[in-house]
Amino acid sequence: MSGMFENKVAVVTGGAQGIGRAIAKAFLREGAAVHVIDLRPGDWFVGDVGDPETLERFAAHVIRESGHVDVLVNNALPLMKGIDDCTWEDFSRALAVGVTAPFYLTKLLAPRFAAGASVINIASSRDRMSQPQTESYTAAKGGVAALTHALAVSLAGKARVNSISPGWIDTADSDISGADAAQQPVGRVGRPEDIAELALFLCSDRAGFITGENICVDGGMTRLMIYHGEHGWRYDGKGS
């Protein structure tokens, strides 16, 4: 532990599991006081980020307990449903969690941002590529990526704002090998810690000249060109 965030305050949404949990643990390791909100019951603020009144209560809680905010990580996960099954309510819910909540929580906490504050929005490599039947999730992740550069401009001088777009991240601590690992240009599936370490860097003084960026952390998968018949790839004709 370097104590890089000693006496700093970090806020993480969806911080009870997966990438959010890894990010919260990383900031704790580096000395920060960490406030987590998650739907899962636990010793954190339990609540739904898709509900504005809950966000208002959570922001008030953070300010009451810590007084200021140095780091805000908007990580809560929107649901994934496709055009065949996704209802108006489902799609609206995905956008509420994935785009509106990051906007509103940033707005609520911005008056208490400390000097040198940073906001990290967790997007996805799906903000630039898709599988079938993923419209609600993909739209939300694309929206938060665009929100990132808009906030970076609006909050210039108050906070740096960046987004991270993870690719395939194994959040179940599995031992994924074989073709699933080999297809990745780096030879493995990602880990939550890969995202957490980048979040630490982007929120540190070492990244002081970086804002408005969306950094894809996907082991190179979005750079891999795939053609039928090359390198063992075969198209099955089913469109999926």
Side-chain angles (χ1 to χ4, degrees):
M1 185 181 78
S2 67
M4 181 166 49
F5 289 92
E6 198 75 37
N7 300 318
K8 305 286 188 181
V9 176
V11 175
V12 183
T13 71
Q17 58 183 324
I19 290 172
R21 182 170 181 266
I23 291 172
K25 288 175 65 176
F27 279 99
L28 279 170
R29 183 191 75 213
E30 295 299 332
V34 178
H35 296 275
V36 166
I37 181 171
D38 201 284
L39 275 172
R40 287 191 170 200
D43 58 351
W44 43 76
F45 192 100
V46 177
D48 176 9
V49 300
D51 173 57
E53 292 183 358
T54 298
L55 286 180
E56 290 162 7
R57 289 190 291 107
F58 177 57
H61 166 79
V62 170
I63 293 165
R64 184 171 58 251
E65 292 293 317
S66 295
H68 73 278
V69 173
D70 299 277
V71 172
L72 169 59
V73 181
N74 291 302
N75 166 76
L77 192 68
L79 86 166
M80 183 187 291
K81 282 193 173 183
I83 193 166
D84 288 353
D85 298 320
C86 188
T87 65
W88 174 282
E89 290 76 18
D90 291 335
F91 198 85
S92 298
R93 168 71 179 167
L95 295 182
V97 171
V99 184
T100 310
F103 165 77
Y104 195 46
L105 188 56
T106 303
K107 177 181 175 70
L108 290 170
L109 294 178
R112 297 302 183 107
F113 282 165
S118 284
V119 178
I120 302 292
N121 295 321
I122 303 301
S124 169
S125 60
R126 293 174 188 268
D127 63 13
R128 67 205 69 190
M129 58 193 297
S130 293
Q131 290 175 299
Q133 304 300 322
T134 62
E135 280 77 13
S136 66
Y137 184 88
T138 300
K141 291 304 186 180
V144 80
L147 176 67
T148 295
H149 58 73
L151 286 173
V153 173
S154 294
L155 295 178
K158 182 183 285 285
R160 292 182 299 105
V161 187
N162 293 289
S163 58
I164 301 172
S165 288
W168 184 354
I169 304 296
D170 173 24
T171 59
D173 197 25
S174 307
D175 182 19
I176 299 175
S177 58
D180 285 336
Q183 71 179 336
Q184 314 275 336
V186 299
R188 67 172 176 87
V189 172
R191 297 183 287 265
E193 292 73 21
D194 294 319
I195 309 305
E197 291 303 315
L198 179 56
L200 287 177
F201 169 72
L202 287 173
C203 293
S204 74
D205 293 340
R206 293 175 295 176
F209 200 54
I210 303 174
T211 194
E213 287 301 312
N214 181 359
I215 301 175
C216 189
V217 184
D218 72 339
M221 282 297 290
T222 54
R223 300 303 187 192
L224 179 62
M225 297 181 72
I226 299 174
Y227 291 100
H228 171 72
E230 288 190 1
H231 308 294
W233 294 99
R234 305 289 298 178
Y235 177 64
D236 66 7
K238 298 177 181 177
S240 61

